[in-house]
Amino acid sequence: MKYLWIFLVLAEGMFFSAKGQNNQSYTDVLLLMGSRFEITAVSSDKDKAQQAIQAGITEIQRIEDLISSWDPNSQTSAIVANAGIGPVQVDQELFNLIRRSLKISRLTHGAFDISYASMDKIWKFDGSMTDMPDSATVAASVSKINFNNIILDAKNRTVFLKEKGMKIGFGAIGKGYAANKALSLLSTMGLDGALVNASGDLISWGKDAGGKEWKIGIANPKNKEQIYSWLTISETAVVTSGNYEKFVEFKGERYSHIIDPRTGYPVKGLSSVSIICPDAELADALATSVFVLGKEKGLELINQLNGIECILVTDDQKLITSQHLQLEYQETNNKN
Ligand code: ADP
Ligand code: MG
């Protein structure tokens, strides 16, 4: 479970929207890409809403088939099966996703890397570890990770993993990509609003059932029951990375389940990272990146990027935001 310190505030029941329509919000919850997806459509027409939701589901399933690492018949699995052997021709869509992933790797100096998937799982987060593994074991565990060894050929639309044993996986970008695609499809279906929530990774369009801008409440990290501030998220994605429960502790230091692919060591210092920007895919990838980069370097990166903001929660429950983030503070709730 993700530490839910961001609450989605959905208008409930039936409302009269600004247009004077009898709008209602319809939501379907289902398991897609191994995650809980919630797809919401706002409309005065129930059939229209349900059709739109179904179209969104079909779209996410289509993407899952393309990028899945566990389906042996996916194009992604074909790339992995041919690591160190030869290039594999793929659909333009997958090719482009990999190309964008490599861009984020360059932007983050390798903090984000889809070849992360080839890491040996030497860290256990179930309390069974008593000591740090030795440094040679740690170094060996990440030896096959290197985004520079993912070779793209745009002319032939091929992907080649240069070294045997290399793997790629879209765990840190795929959900965001799917959310983008599903939402943009829903936005063409005559609705008044739509929202896709992939286990806390959100993207919205249009208006909520009350005809208002979509809003989320951000919980006070020191008191999860309390709303710390509000954030309008119209036409924006909010993606949260982090896991409050999964960590390992050595000599009183808490290490998170996210591992720096450049060193093989779990990162520490942050307990949650939320990225706010119009693009759910970019937000997804940057959330993991900032986690790996840590508080200082992560903030520095986000502050340099136009139109991309972040909210970080540190290990000691401090909330830090990027320079230009506008939060609507709740005076009454913010006294402690
Ligand atoms: P969630 O699935 O809850 O959104 P995260 O956003 O933290 O979780 O992403 C975790 C996923 O990202 C895992 O599937 C993992 O394999 C992948 N991943 C972890 N670290 C990296 C990294 N540095 N680069 C690319 N992918 C990563
Ligand atoms: Mg993510």
Side-chain angles (χ1 to χ4, degrees):
M1 268 302 287
K2 203 169 277 182
Y3 171 30
L4 280 181
W5 57 279
I6 285 192
F7 300 113
L8 179 59
V9 184
L10 288 176
E12 303 242 348
M14 203 180 282
F15 291 86
F16 290 94
S17 74
K19 285 192 206 152
Q21 286 162 337
N22 229 350
N23 269 346
Q24 211 169 336
S25 93
Y26 299 88
T27 300
D28 248 25
V29 180
L30 66 169
L31 196 73
L32 294 163
M33 311 181 88
S35 293
R36 182 184 191 270
F37 267 79
E38 248 179 62
I39 304 177
T40 298
V42 177
S43 178
S44 55
D45 179 339
K46 187 175 178 185
D47 289 341
K48 204 188 254 181
Q50 283 173 339
Q51 267 170 28
I53 290 172
Q54 193 48 51
I57 294 171
T58 307
E59 177 66 355
I60 295 165
Q61 285 166 337
R62 185 188 68 76
I63 294 167
E64 184 172 11
D65 288 344
L66 190 67
I67 69 174
S68 160
S69 313
W70 50 91
D71 172 0
N73 298 315
S74 74
Q75 294 192 7
T76 303
S77 296
I79 296 170
V80 169
N82 285 285
I85 300 171
V88 174
Q89 195 173 54
V90 297
D91 286 359
Q92 192 67 52
E93 185 178 4
L94 182 60
F95 186 89
N96 291 348
L97 178 65
I98 296 173
R99 186 157 53 187
R100 292 194 299 276
S101 299
L102 294 182
K103 257 193 191 168
I104 297 169
S105 293
R106 287 190 286 270
L107 177 72
T108 61
H109 304 286
F112 177 87
D113 191 331
I114 54 172
S115 67
Y116 174 97
S118 54
M119 183 167 62
D120 300 328
K121 293 196 171 60
I122 57 168
W123 302 94
K124 306 268 182 292
F125 299 95
D126 55 5
S128 64
M129 285 183 97
T130 48
D131 249 324
M132 283 255 191
D134 65 82
S135 57
T137 308
V138 174
S141 74
V142 290
S143 63
K144 292 191 192 94
I145 303 175
N146 184 356
F147 66 90
N148 290 310
N149 286 338
I150 304 173
I151 312 298
L152 298 185
D153 177 342
K155 208 167 106 238
N156 296 311
R157 233 193 311 117
T158 60
V159 184
F160 176 41
L161 306 183
K162 233 164 131 183
E163 284 192 32
K164 249 198 143 44
M166 270 182 87
K167 287 181 188 155
I168 53 171
F170 300 100
I173 192 168
K175 255 194 299 168
Y177 175 58
N180 270 351
K181 293 285 280 186
L183 190 87
S184 79
L185 191 64
L186 263 74
S187 73
T188 64
M189 297 189 72
L191 305 171
D192 289 299
L195 184 129
V196 177
N197 179 357
S199 303
D201 296 354
L202 318 170
I203 183 162
S204 69
W205 169 83
K207 297 279 175 0
D208 68 12
K212 300 222 171 69
E213 311 265 293
W214 296 98
K215 263 189 186 188
I216 53 170
I218 295 164
N220 183 342
K222 293 200 162 113
N223 176 3
K224 281 189 262 172
E225 310 302 308
Q226 206 180 51
I227 298 283
Y228 174 84
S229 67
W230 298 98
L231 186 67
T232 301
I233 55 155
S234 289
E235 328 260 297
T236 300
V238 181
V239 172
T240 302
S241 207
N243 194 315
Y244 192 60
E245 285 132 26
K246 278 201 277 179
F247 58 85
V248 58
E249 226 166 32
F250 299 117
K251 298 197 174 84
E253 288 252 34
R254 186 179 280 201
Y255 296 84
S256 88
H257 73 298
I258 297 211
I259 290 154
D260 189 332
R262 301 164 299 184
T263 63
Y265 284 92
V267 294
K268 52 180 185 183
L270 294 174
S271 81
S272 174
V273 174
S274 296
I275 303 285
I276 301 126
C277 75
D279 181 333
E281 173 191 315
L282 184 62
D284 197 4
L286 286 178
T288 304
S289 306
V290 169
F291 221 110
V292 171
L293 289 169
K295 191 172 75 179
E296 280 85 19
K297 286 200 172 127
L299 259 184
E300 202 181 294
L301 172 70
I302 298 302
N303 282 335
Q304 279 170 10
L305 300 173
N306 242 334
I308 303 178
E309 304 301 335
C310 70
I311 304 172
L312 313 180
V313 177
T314 61
D315 273 351
D316 48 0
Q317 313 290 283
K318 287 205 181 78
L319 197 138
I320 303 170
T321 67
S322 55
Q323 258 162 20
H324 301 292
L325 188 71
Q326 301 285 334
L327 292 175
E328 300 164 35
Y329 287 93
Q330 284 270 294
E331 285 305 326
T332 45
N333 277 338
N334 254 346
K335 297 219 166 98
N336 48 348

